[in-house]
Amino acid sequence: MGNDTSYTDQKFEQVGRRVKRPDGVDKVTGRAKYGADAYAPGQLVGLILRSPHAHARIKKIDTSKAEKLAGVKAVVTYDDLPDLTGGNRGMMDILENCMARGRALYDGHAVAAVAAVDKTIAKRALKLIKVTYEKLPHVTDVDEAMEADAPVVQDFVFTSGVEPKPTKPSNVSGISQFGHGDVDAGFAEADVIVEKSYKTEQTHQGYIEPHACLANMSSDGSGELWVTTQGHFVFRNVCSTLLGIDIAKLKVTASEIGGGFGGKTHVWMEPVALVLSRKANRPVKLVMTRDEVFKASGPTCSTSIDVKIGAKKDGTITAASANLRYQNGAFPANWGMIGAMTAYACYDLKNVKTVGYDVLVNRPKVAAYRAPSAPMAAFGVESTMDLMAGKLGMDPVEFRIKNAAKEGTRASYGPVYGPIGIGPTLEAVKKHPHMRAKLKKNQGRGMACGFWFNFGGQTCTDLNIGVDGTVSLTVGTIDVGGSRASLSLIAAEELGIDYEQVKASVADTASLGHNDMTEGSRGTFSSGMATIFAARNAVEVMKGRAAKMWDIPVEDVVWENGGAKATGKAHSNLPPLTLKEIAAKSPQTGGPIAGHNETVADNAGVSFASHICDVEVDPETGSTRVIRYTVVQDAGKAIHPDYVEGQFQGGAAQGIGWALNEEYIYGKDGTLQNPGFLDYRIPVCSDLPFIDTEILEIPNPNHPYGVRGVGETSIVPPLAAIGNAVSNAVGVRLNHIPMSPPRILKALDEQAGG
Amino acid sequence: MSSVLVSTTINGDPVEFACPPEETLLDSLRDRVGLTGVKEGCGTGDCGSCSVTLDGRLMCSCLVLSAEVEGKQVGTVEGMVQNGQLHPLQESFIDNAALQCGICTPGFLVAANALLARNANPTETEIRYALAGNLCRCTGYDKIVRAVQVASKEMRKKSKKTKKK
Ligand code: FES
Ligand code: FES
């Protein structure tokens, strides 16, 4: 029987409460165990040797001296990771990224690894491995990589999406196009056209917990992996495939996760830990240093984007187009395609065309980073929207409201929208007191909009009721920021009991069916949906048990206020049975009470936000401070408002860092110059103001409670909101992110000079 | 290679361990003493997740050699619970949702505790600067600052009460 996922406008008892999270005490006392906090008897220390070159042929790896060092238990190179992918190039890319195969493709690419009895010996062993490199020409800039004479990063890559099929390999792995209507005709109709090009630099998710795992392979071919990840089931499947282990024989347990933001959706080094363990026949703990995290785990793309918008004098946009070039690091991906899909998603456009270019360079493999690809596209589009509003003499909010997408709009990337939040967030911005607050000298206000798709995906949830009437909720999505609290609220709501009676935990891969990665803001949406149906199934079981206890037909039993009630005149003498009473009798009425649900949660419900930002620019130093910030976003339904606000605030803060400070800086030699938190500066507490939030609730019609994902959209608007604010503060329009002090000073100098 | 023997006091308890002379306090606390509430985010003094107190002073334990803590008093997040009671800062972090992933939380708690020990009534700006050595990537710091404000108020109320008694 299919479950009805349609939204019903029900009243909530539990959902919406700001309850204490179940993992709170563990996390404030230091008891919670993260990736690096597991220890196994006899465990070895693993370390990875990495390429110091941006691009080099590996002529020889001599591990003999390292192997002979006392205390070294295993040394591995790509020879220990044979190709078991059966021609699956995507899998091969993961494997090759874990360990270079004859060619180092970026500064930091893994070349060999050791496992030794302690850190000191492991470090010495790394020094004893002799690698002979032959340096090759490299390219790290996205525009340079597209030039005809650029060094080719991967010779198996031929541009897809063009006819006829190219005959020569290219750094452009794919070209994709979206849109509808006729943009040429649209631009011809326009009274005003604005065209501008933008660049954004590469940033890292910057989770505070480095990648870490503890691998433990047994000589019988089975194994266990403890790992910090956003998706242990997916990690299991990938590692099993790459190492030739049966899926059922590899048990992966997700540790508490110290931040991911997309960066922990990718397998970076876990197969190496497993292979070291297999070779040494001992458990191996492998933990990245911060330097390794920056160099060899996924940052997001750097980009180069051209935007063109045409409008009538009355503010109607007649055509909009964009070319978006995204670098994906050394392995093909489709981040440029996603950028091209999101660029104009906020607007109702008659004629729109976007072209995404996916480009290879000698940088680390790009990973998802919170609403991946959308912030850069929004920077280009939303900056241009402000420029256009200026030219038309229109208020930027009014201009956006006039062109905002609404229910029935065909999105620039294809689908037709249902009920959506872009209009309401803009109206809320218009009304917000922030918009009327006074500004001082060198201060300016900007606003911008953002969109994210959201994702549902495969989900499996168990709900077990103990004989004392307490409830164990077992989910397979990772708790990245309080979802165990939200999911417990949902279970309590369905069962009609108090939140305190539910305890949610994340199961290992041996204890629950497959769950997709916790990405696309899906944790609370999809596991929430599965929890609702698992609870409803458990209710059905309990109704049956109550019927048995009363000895009446189950059709005469309903579930109300956390208990079974007998309906109909014949049973009016029967007092209701509480969940607790039914649970207590369960050993006699048929055994344990449980509810399960397996689903592919579709229709996650798109998400929109509008942000307002005030900045103050110091014209002497070019340094910019955010002095006030407001996030307005549609959550569909906020299950636990604290953690919804937390997502809004955290995304905004990451966007602020991206806009003003954060960037990967590559030297001429193609090596990363700032792989540490000192030189790659993320916002600290004294950099930021309080971040105000306004949660709007426009129900997702495809979720029983109306939930939409909330985790990602908040990083989309800040880049442009700050760019617009800087422009309003000191009159210079920055088209290059981050707007670091030197870039702002240069723009101010040029303004003064010109 | 010869180890050094370190005798020190951690969270009030006497502790002895042997370690290589170049080992950091962070590594010893985690790998030898079993105090994994002390986290490593960078190992270079830039993130504050390894924050401890050394004779009451806030330190990054990744920048301290274990050999240096001989005879000193080390305080970690594990020592904040007193008589089975959460510290008001710990309570407040939970109540005010000041953690998302929680990896930075031990460091923030130790740093905030050190702040409140020397300034019982800090302003928002004082809190922000006192915690500027601790990185949090999840929260945007909003709820962390609020949680410290609430805890400091609670603690002042409590200490007034005990003074009256
Ligand atoms: S680990 Fe010590 S400051 Fe980051
Ligand atoms: S809560 Fe995740 S880093 Fe602070």
Side-chain angles (χ1 to χ4, degrees), chain A residues 20-21 28 34 36-37 39 119 204-205 208 257 290 369 642 645-646 649-650 662 683 685 688 690-691, chain B residues 27 30-31 39-41 77 90 95 99-103 109 124 128 132 137-138 140-143 146:
Chain A
K20 295 187 194 199
R21 61 196 282 168
V28 300
Y34 292 83
D37 297 340
Y39 294 80
K119 205 171 174 179
H204 195 276
Q205 297 83 350
I208 305 302
I257 181 171
R290 179 55 54 183
Y369 178 16
D642 275 348
E645 292 164 4
Q649 292 163 336
E662 297 177 32
C685 201
L688 297 177
F690 285 121
I691 296 169
Chain B
D27 281 352
R30 291 180 51 82
D31 297 341
K39 303 296 181 195
E40 173 165 351
V77 69
Q90 293 174 309
D95 289 346
L99 50 142
Q100 282 176 32
C101 81
I103 193 87
L109 287 168
E124 183 203 332
R128 287 191 181 275
R137 192 59 156 172
C138 298
Y141 305 102
D142 184 293
K143 292 182 191 297
R146 291 181 202 278

Side-chain angles (χ1 to χ4, degrees), chain B residues 40-43 45-48 50 60 62:
Chain B
E40 173 165 351
C42 68
D46 301 315
C47 78
C50 65
C60 292
C62 68

Side-chain angles (χ1 to χ4, degrees), chain A residues 508-581:
Chain A
D508 62 58
T509 59
S511 312
L512 198 65
H514 177 87
N515 280 264
D516 283 339
M517 216 33 97
T518 306
E519 63 186 357
S521 301
R522 84 180 202 91
T524 300
F525 168 77
S526 61
S527 273
M529 197 183 273
T531 299
I532 290 172
F533 298 126
R536 289 181 185 173
N537 289 340
V539 163
E540 286 311 308
V541 175
M542 288 188 286
K543 277 159 61 179
R545 301 299 176 82
K548 215 169 186 180
M549 287 164 75
W550 282 321
D551 198 17
I552 64 172
V554 70
E555 293 73 37
D556 294 351
V557 182
V558 293
W559 192 261
E560 259 177 36
N561 304 321
K565 217 178 98 186
T567 54
K569 279 225 179 77
H571 312 312
S572 58
N573 58 334
L574 294 173
L577 283 166
T578 64
L579 180 146
K580 216 172 161 170
E581 288 162 337

Side-chain angles (χ1 to χ4, degrees), chain A residues 425 607-609 611 631-635 648 694-696 709-710 713-714:
Chain A
T425 62
S607 158
F608 292 91
H611 291 194
V631 175
V632 184
Q633 187 178 318
D634 171 21
F648 290 7
E694 187 175 332
I695 303 174
L696 302 187
V710 297
T713 314
S714 52

